[in-house]
Amino acid sequence: MSISDVKPRIFISYSRKDEEFARKLRSELEALNFPLWQDRVRMEGGVDWWRQITEALDVVEYMVLIASPDAMNSDMVRKEWRYARQQGVCIYPVQVPGKPLDFDSLPRWIRSAHFYDLENPDEYTRFIEGLRRPCEAPRVPFMAPDVPKNYVHRPDEYDGLKSLLLEPEQTNPVAITTALRGAGGFGKTTLAAALCHDEDIITAFDDGILWVTLGTKPDVMLHLTQLYTALTGKRTMFESVEEASNALAKSLAGLDCLIVIDDVWNMAHLRPFLRGGERCARLVTTRDFEIAIQAEAREVLVDEMASDEAVNLLLHGIEPPPDDREPFRKLASRLGEWPLLLEIANGMLRKRFHRVRDLGKALEWVNRLLDKHGVVAIKRDDEDDRRRGAAGTMGASLEVLEDDERERYISLAAFPEDTDVPFGALMALWGLDDVDAELLVERLADLSLLKWDAPRGVIRLHDVIREYLESQVSDMPALHTRLIEAWGDPHELPDEYAWRYIGYHMVGAGRAGELRRLLFDWEWLLAKLRAIKDPNALITDCGYFDDRAMELLGGAIRLSSHLLDEAEWLPHQLYGRLLSAEEPELVELVRRIGEGHPRPW
């Protein structure tokens, strides 16, 4: 039975160590005829568990939070309550007898909530009566990515940035545009994510923290729409970037939000995110000095790490730490105190140390690998030298992989940049089952060769790493073809990623003609819209072609986008808007819609 069949009203969130307490409370609430959802009871085998949790939180009104010290320190419980606040779910914290809380250590928003003591009869009655009433809670979006486990605090950059965003007493936000500028792999995104998780920042920007990652070829319309939906809860389709930008600006009026626009390469991509929100702050990460200037942003430069910070990152996860840090300081210097390369070197170091149990020998081995691949001393102010150093370090790290592992890792270059790639797509590309694919992903993540978000079941590559992998691929069309053929029938694609990016991979495989035929097949267009509920993806597919017929088709979809939250409107809209078209492919499309789509319209 799926969650959509049950329509639960209450979600119970808890730590595993409080499972018995949660089970007892669940039984009591069920006896009172409350429809409940509890993850460990209702989870469906074979279905991504985080997706099941988010589906539940999308429909419930209340989260009952079993507030023990274990739960308060659980990354998963925190992830659940952030998502619940984003969806406007009311959160009722419940104390666990015999497990007192350190309230000073809790996030400020939850400290102000009422914690129910269910052993007190009056409190119990108040708790039950509250659950019977309709929930009224504002949406508080929190879209920032998690902070990496190997995060190393960089006080100079962090404190400088935080001081720009908050007033001196650090309780009120400052409506300002700031920019984190630095070369790729220097830790701008990590620093921004860490700041978003700062309790002072979360408290000050109490209407939410928004996040988009643009990259070199962003879908600006999609990102604007995502921010608008996160703030309002409305799944609205817009006809243009201008309309979406104006709608987002209006929704920001009177709010204290922090908006992070990550990885900006083009000022034209940034401008639509700078409108409105007179009380909101923007944080831009970019490599381009001119973008910071044009955005009139206060700048914080993110450069190489300080020596001690670099050594801390290099030694992350190694226990016990060495008494003599000087040899590791030399390795950090050799890598230019570049955070991305330090992460990769840390992965190699931990791997070797685990095998030989001698940190000195592990360090010697890493240095020999770097010698072999020509990594001498990376010049911090030389972009070409940094690029060569990155390639050499990547080459050294790949030597710890078996041949088939290395081949599969390099094949990840087939995926688009700045994109969360789901587990199913990896399985399809690699030809592995879920167990073997996950083992390889964990191995690559342990070596810091990719970012693995296990709860969401997605990976992401840093663009510096992806650029290197792309340079190692001899036949890119063959990789795209392998993925497309693994998916099978394009009318019955396996998941949202496949539907959204089938056009990208078809063009990459040199099969643009096949994509073109699909785009003039109204049943395929309807199937894609049903699967991903985003007409912008269809418009993106049309944008791979430069001719009048495809321009008219993309334009018809764009003009209809405000109606296409109901996918069934698509054939009607295309028929009406393209009826007078003279291009043969459009004439045939209209004829087939007229013959094949049920009437009346």
Side-chain angles (χ1 to χ4, degrees), residues 412-481:
L412 297 180
F415 294 111
E417 65 177 21
D418 297 307
T419 301
D420 288 334
V421 181
F423 201 62
L426 300 180
M427 293 166 57
L429 179 65
W430 288 344
L432 297 177
D433 62 26
D434 57 343
V435 174
D436 288 338
E438 185 161 352
L439 287 173
L440 179 53
V441 166
E442 287 180 347
R443 178 162 163 72
L444 296 172
D446 287 344
L447 290 167
S448 296
L449 295 175
L450 52 75
K451 301 296 183 184
W452 167 229
D453 187 338
R456 294 174 56 223
V458 298
I459 69 152
R460 183 179 279 252
L461 292 173
H462 193 285
D463 53 6
V464 173
I465 291 178
R466 185 185 176 279
E467 181 182 344
Y468 169 78
L469 296 181
E470 195 170 17
S471 72
Q472 303 302 299
V473 175
S474 58
D475 189 352
M476 187 66 79
L479 290 181
H480 290 289
T481 298

Side-chain angles (χ1 to χ4, degrees), residues 325-346:
R325 292 164 57 97
E326 192 58 32
F328 301 92
R329 199 178 304 279
K330 290 179 180 178
L331 175 56
S333 177
R334 179 179 189 174
L335 296 174
E337 280 87 19
W338 188 356
L340 179 65
L341 300 194
L342 293 168
E343 283 188 32
I344 295 170
N346 167 254

Side-chain angles (χ1 to χ4, degrees), residues 154 180-191 262-265 285-289 299-305 336-341 378-387 390 462-464 467:
R154 304 174 68 175
L180 286 172
R181 184 175 65 85
F186 271 34
K188 302 182 296 297
T189 299
T190 298
L191 185 60
D262 182 38
D263 198 21
V264 178
W265 289 71
T285 75
T286 184
R287 304 181 190 189
D288 191 336
F289 174 75
E299 184 184 75
V300 174
L301 182 63
V302 182
D303 215 326
E304 67 273 2
M305 295 181 113
E337 280 87 19
W338 188 356
L340 179 65
L341 300 194
I378 296 173
K379 299 176 182 177
R380 299 171 178 175
D381 56 351
D382 187 328
E383 179 67 29
D384 291 336
D385 193 65
R386 282 204 305 267
R387 194 179 301 272
H462 193 285
D463 53 6
V464 173
E467 181 182 344

Side-chain angles (χ1 to χ4, degrees), residues 74 78 87 123 182 212 332 353 357 438 449 575:
S74 166
R78 287 174 175 259
Q87 300 308 109
E123 283 279 286
V212 292
F353 177 59
R357 307 310 302 175
E438 185 161 352
L449 295 175
Y575 187 93

Side-chain angles (χ1 to χ4, degrees), residues 362-415:
L363 176 63
E364 181 183 353
W365 179 78
V366 170
N367 276 312
R368 288 208 314 270
L369 272 181
L370 295 174
D371 290 341
K372 178 179 176 181
H373 287 270
V375 182
V376 181
I378 296 173
K379 299 176 182 177
R380 299 171 178 175
D381 56 351
D382 187 328
E383 179 67 29
D384 291 336
D385 193 65
R386 282 204 305 267
R387 194 179 301 272
R388 287 190 295 271
T393 306
M394 285 295 301
S397 68
L398 264 57
E399 287 211 13
V400 306
L401 300 175
E402 301 295 335
D403 289 345
D404 58 336
E405 293 175 330
R406 187 180 306 113
E407 179 184 346
R408 288 189 170 107
Y409 178 58
I410 290 173
S411 72
L412 297 180
F415 294 111

Side-chain angles (χ1 to χ4, degrees), residues 108 162 165-174 199-206 256:
R108 294 187 185 183
K162 185 175 176 179
L165 293 172
L166 299 180
E167 290 182 353
E169 66 276 13
Q170 297 198 338
T171 57
N172 294 313
V174 176
E199 291 300 335
D200 291 331
I201 294 292
I202 293 172
T203 299
F205 295 98
D206 56 5
D256 294 315

